PDB file of all heavy atoms in Angstrom:
ATOM      1  N   ARG F  10      75.149 197.735 109.969  1.00 95.00           N
ATOM      2  CA  ARG F  10      75.852 198.875 109.724  1.00 95.00           C
ATOM      3  C   ARG F  10      74.881 200.158 109.849  1.00 95.00           C
ATOM      4  O   ARG F  10      75.326 201.181 110.444  1.00 95.00           O
ATOM      5  CB  ARG F  10      76.299 198.799 108.259  1.00 95.00           C
ATOM      6  CG  ARG F  10      77.154 200.025 107.786  1.00 95.00           C
ATOM      7  CD  ARG F  10      78.538 200.034 108.277  1.00 95.00           C
ATOM      8  NE  ARG F  10      79.348 200.921 107.518  1.00 95.00           N
ATOM      9  CZ  ARG F  10      80.327 201.669 107.991  1.00 95.00           C
ATOM     10  NH1 ARG F  10      80.642 201.629 109.186  1.00 95.00           N
ATOM     11  NH2 ARG F  10      81.114 202.376 107.169  1.00 95.00           N
ATOM     12  N   SER F  13      74.058 200.626 113.566  1.00 97.00           N
ATOM     13  CA  SER F  13      75.223 200.997 114.212  1.00 97.00           C
ATOM     14  C   SER F  13      75.415 202.554 114.031  1.00 97.00           C
ATOM     15  O   SER F  13      75.711 203.318 114.949  1.00 97.00           O
ATOM     16  CB  SER F  13      76.358 200.244 113.714  1.00 97.00           C
ATOM     17  OG  SER F  13      77.549 200.613 114.273  1.00 97.00           O
ATOM     18  N   THR F  17      75.253 205.847 116.646  1.00 96.00           N
ATOM     19  CA  THR F  17      76.274 206.879 116.848  1.00 96.00           C
ATOM     20  C   THR F  17      75.732 208.263 116.658  1.00 96.00           C
ATOM     21  O   THR F  17      76.152 209.168 117.385  1.00 96.00           O
ATOM     22  CB  THR F  17      77.397 206.622 115.753  1.00 96.00           C
ATOM     23  OG1 THR F  17      77.777 205.245 115.870  1.00 96.00           O
ATOM     24  CG2 THR F  17      78.568 207.561 116.034  1.00 96.00           C
ATOM     25  N   SER F  85      87.479 207.004 127.355  1.00 93.00           N
ATOM     26  CA  SER F  85      86.937 205.890 128.073  1.00 93.00           C
ATOM     27  C   SER F  85      87.610 204.595 127.571  1.00 93.00           C
ATOM     28  O   SER F  85      87.963 204.522 126.288  1.00 93.00           O
ATOM     29  CB  SER F  85      85.418 205.786 128.082  1.00 93.00           C
ATOM     30  OG  SER F  85      85.074 205.574 126.665  1.00 93.00           O
ATOM     31  N   LEU F  87      86.158 201.011 126.901  1.00 93.00           N
ATOM     32  CA  LEU F  87      84.756 200.265 126.952  1.00 93.00           C
ATOM     33  C   LEU F  87      84.919 198.763 127.094  1.00 93.00           C
ATOM     34  O   LEU F  87      85.249 198.115 125.999  1.00 93.00           O
ATOM     35  CB  LEU F  87      84.001 200.635 125.662  1.00 93.00           C
ATOM     36  CG  LEU F  87      83.787 202.217 125.491  1.00 93.00           C
ATOM     37  CD1 LEU F  87      83.107 202.515 124.146  1.00 93.00           C
ATOM     38  CD2 LEU F  87      83.057 202.767 126.637  1.00 93.00           C
ATOM     39  N   ARG F  90      82.107 194.756 126.447  1.00 90.00           N
ATOM     40  CA  ARG F  90      81.854 193.832 125.321  1.00 90.00           C
ATOM     41  C   ARG F  90      82.770 192.547 125.528  1.00 90.00           C
ATOM     42  O   ARG F  90      82.321 191.526 125.025  1.00 90.00           O
ATOM     43  CB  ARG F  90      82.238 194.661 124.138  1.00 90.00           C
ATOM     44  CG  ARG F  90      82.581 193.729 122.969  1.00 90.00           C
ATOM     45  CD  ARG F  90      82.537 194.524 121.642  1.00 90.00           C
ATOM     46  NE  ARG F  90      81.782 193.719 120.749  1.00 90.00           N
ATOM     47  CZ  ARG F  90      80.775 194.122 120.081  1.00 90.00           C
ATOM     48  NH1 ARG F  90      80.287 195.306 120.114  1.00 90.00           N
ATOM     49  NH2 ARG F  90      80.213 193.241 119.255  1.00 90.00           N
ATOM     50  N   ASP F  94      81.312 188.935 124.283  1.00 77.00           N
ATOM     51  CA  ASP F  94      81.576 188.341 122.979  1.00 77.00           C
ATOM     52  C   ASP F  94      82.136 186.861 123.083  1.00 77.00           C
ATOM     53  O   ASP F  94      81.804 186.045 122.202  1.00 77.00           O
ATOM     54  CB  ASP F  94      82.471 189.162 122.199  1.00 77.00           C
ATOM     55  CG  ASP F  94      81.821 190.065 121.193  1.00 77.00           C
ATOM     56  OD1 ASP F  94      80.622 189.687 120.906  1.00 77.00           O
ATOM     57  OD2 ASP F  94      82.488 191.026 120.708  1.00 77.00           O
ATOM     58  N   SER F 106      78.797 199.294 122.808  1.00 96.00           N
ATOM     59  CA  SER F 106      79.449 199.826 123.997  1.00 96.00           C
ATOM     60  C   SER F 106      79.261 201.350 123.956  1.00 96.00           C
ATOM     61  O   SER F 106      79.577 201.968 122.888  1.00 96.00           O
ATOM     62  CB  SER F 106      80.871 199.464 124.043  1.00 96.00           C
ATOM     63  OG  SER F 106      81.047 198.155 123.724  1.00 96.00           O
TER      64      SER F 106
ATOM     65  N   ASP D  35      87.296 207.169 122.947  1.00 97.00           N
ATOM     66  CA  ASP D  35      86.495 205.973 123.406  1.00 97.00           C
ATOM     67  C   ASP D  35      87.002 204.752 122.866  1.00 97.00           C
ATOM     68  O   ASP D  35      86.847 204.563 121.569  1.00 97.00           O
ATOM     69  CB  ASP D  35      84.989 206.141 123.310  1.00 97.00           C
ATOM     70  CG  ASP D  35      84.458 207.382 123.933  1.00 97.00           C
ATOM     71  OD1 ASP D  35      84.709 207.548 125.118  1.00 97.00           O
ATOM     72  OD2 ASP D  35      83.754 208.050 123.252  1.00 97.00           O
ATOM     73  N   VAL D  36      87.622 203.843 123.645  1.00 97.00           N
ATOM     74  CA  VAL D  36      88.490 202.792 123.122  1.00 97.00           C
ATOM     75  C   VAL D  36      87.871 201.406 123.508  1.00 97.00           C
ATOM     76  O   VAL D  36      87.547 201.183 124.660  1.00 97.00           O
ATOM     77  CB  VAL D  36      89.850 202.854 123.588  1.00 97.00           C
ATOM     78  CG1 VAL D  36      90.826 202.106 122.696  1.00 97.00           C
ATOM     79  CG2 VAL D  36      90.335 204.303 123.621  1.00 97.00           C
ATOM     80  N   TYR D  47      85.799 188.379 113.119  1.00 93.00           N
ATOM     81  CA  TYR D  47      85.365 188.885 114.340  1.00 93.00           C
ATOM     82  C   TYR D  47      85.602 190.387 114.502  1.00 93.00           C
ATOM     83  O   TYR D  47      84.829 191.180 114.834  1.00 93.00           O
ATOM     84  CB  TYR D  47      86.046 188.042 115.540  1.00 93.00           C
ATOM     85  CG  TYR D  47      85.792 188.550 116.869  1.00 93.00           C
ATOM     86  CD1 TYR D  47      84.696 188.215 117.669  1.00 93.00           C
ATOM     87  CD2 TYR D  47      86.673 189.645 117.333  1.00 93.00           C
ATOM     88  CE1 TYR D  47      84.495 188.864 118.916  1.00 93.00           C
ATOM     89  CE2 TYR D  47      86.412 190.233 118.623  1.00 93.00           C
ATOM     90  CZ  TYR D  47      85.365 189.626 119.402  1.00 93.00           C
ATOM     91  OH  TYR D  47      85.157 190.213 120.685  1.00 93.00           O
ATOM     92  N   ARG D  50      83.404 192.351 112.392  1.00 94.00           N
ATOM     93  CA  ARG D  50      82.065 192.501 113.023  1.00 94.00           C
ATOM     94  C   ARG D  50      81.995 193.565 114.137  1.00 94.00           C
ATOM     95  O   ARG D  50      81.063 194.371 114.243  1.00 94.00           O
ATOM     96  CB  ARG D  50      81.577 191.176 113.418  1.00 94.00           C
ATOM     97  CG  ARG D  50      80.223 191.186 114.086  1.00 94.00           C
ATOM     98  CD  ARG D  50      79.629 189.833 114.325  1.00 94.00           C
ATOM     99  NE  ARG D  50      80.275 188.952 115.268  1.00 94.00           N
ATOM    100  CZ  ARG D  50      80.261 189.069 116.498  1.00 94.00           C
ATOM    101  NH1 ARG D  50      79.409 190.101 117.027  1.00 94.00           N
ATOM    102  NH2 ARG D  50      80.871 188.365 117.313  1.00 94.00           N
ATOM    103  N   VAL D  53      82.166 197.156 112.817  1.00 96.00           N
ATOM    104  CA  VAL D  53      80.900 197.567 112.400  1.00 96.00           C
ATOM    105  C   VAL D  53      79.894 197.850 113.455  1.00 96.00           C
ATOM    106  O   VAL D  53      79.212 198.908 113.451  1.00 96.00           O
ATOM    107  CB  VAL D  53      80.324 196.421 111.303  1.00 96.00           C
ATOM    108  CG1 VAL D  53      78.931 196.843 110.963  1.00 96.00           C
ATOM    109  CG2 VAL D  53      81.206 196.655 110.084  1.00 96.00           C
ATOM    110  N   ASP D  54      79.762 196.878 114.305  1.00 95.00           N
ATOM    111  CA  ASP D  54      78.706 197.051 115.355  1.00 95.00           C
ATOM    112  C   ASP D  54      78.937 198.258 116.270  1.00 95.00           C
ATOM    113  O   ASP D  54      78.125 198.850 116.790  1.00 95.00           O
ATOM    114  CB  ASP D  54      78.621 195.784 116.183  1.00 95.00           C
ATOM    115  CG  ASP D  54      77.900 194.692 115.539  1.00 95.00           C
ATOM    116  OD1 ASP D  54      77.617 194.761 114.275  1.00 95.00           O
ATOM    117  OD2 ASP D  54      77.594 193.550 116.161  1.00 95.00           O
ATOM    118  N   GLU D  55      80.252 198.454 116.424  1.00 96.00           N
ATOM    119  CA  GLU D  55      80.618 199.599 117.373  1.00 96.00           C
ATOM    120  C   GLU D  55      80.799 200.834 116.583  1.00 96.00           C
ATOM    121  O   GLU D  55      81.102 201.933 117.258  1.00 96.00           O
ATOM    122  CB  GLU D  55      81.952 199.237 118.143  1.00 96.00           C
ATOM    123  CG  GLU D  55      81.744 198.041 119.085  1.00 96.00           C
ATOM    124  CD  GLU D  55      81.007 198.280 120.330  1.00 96.00           C
ATOM    125  OE1 GLU D  55      80.494 199.443 120.498  1.00 96.00           O
ATOM    126  OE2 GLU D  55      80.702 197.354 121.171  1.00 96.00           O
ATOM    127  N   ASP D  56      80.686 200.778 115.231  1.00 97.00           N
ATOM    128  CA  ASP D  56      80.778 202.010 114.452  1.00 97.00           C
ATOM    129  C   ASP D  56      81.997 202.900 114.705  1.00 97.00           C
ATOM    130  O   ASP D  56      81.867 203.944 115.030  1.00 97.00           O
ATOM    131  CB  ASP D  56      79.551 202.902 114.490  1.00 97.00           C
ATOM    132  CG  ASP D  56      79.380 203.945 113.437  1.00 97.00           C
ATOM    133  OD1 ASP D  56      80.030 203.648 112.350  1.00 97.00           O
ATOM    134  OD2 ASP D  56      78.798 204.984 113.573  1.00 97.00           O
ATOM    135  N   ASP D  87      85.167 201.840 104.423  1.00 94.00           N
ATOM    136  CA  ASP D  87      85.652 203.201 104.645  1.00 94.00           C
ATOM    137  C   ASP D  87      86.334 203.310 106.101  1.00 94.00           C
ATOM    138  O   ASP D  87      86.849 204.325 106.459  1.00 94.00           O
ATOM    139  CB  ASP D  87      84.433 204.220 104.570  1.00 94.00           C
ATOM    140  CG  ASP D  87      83.370 203.671 105.444  1.00 94.00           C
ATOM    141  OD1 ASP D  87      82.887 202.622 105.402  1.00 94.00           O
ATOM    142  OD2 ASP D  87      82.753 204.480 106.340  1.00 94.00           O
TER     143      ASP D  87
END
Side-chain angles (χ1 to χ4, degrees):
Chain F
R10 179 81 161 144
S13 181
T17 309
S85 65
L87 306 175
R90 158 164 226 129
D94 258 343
S106 315
Chain D
D35 297 312
V36 199
Y47 171 92
R50 177 166 68 76
V53 167
D54 286 7
E55 297 288 357
D56 194 23
D87 55 307

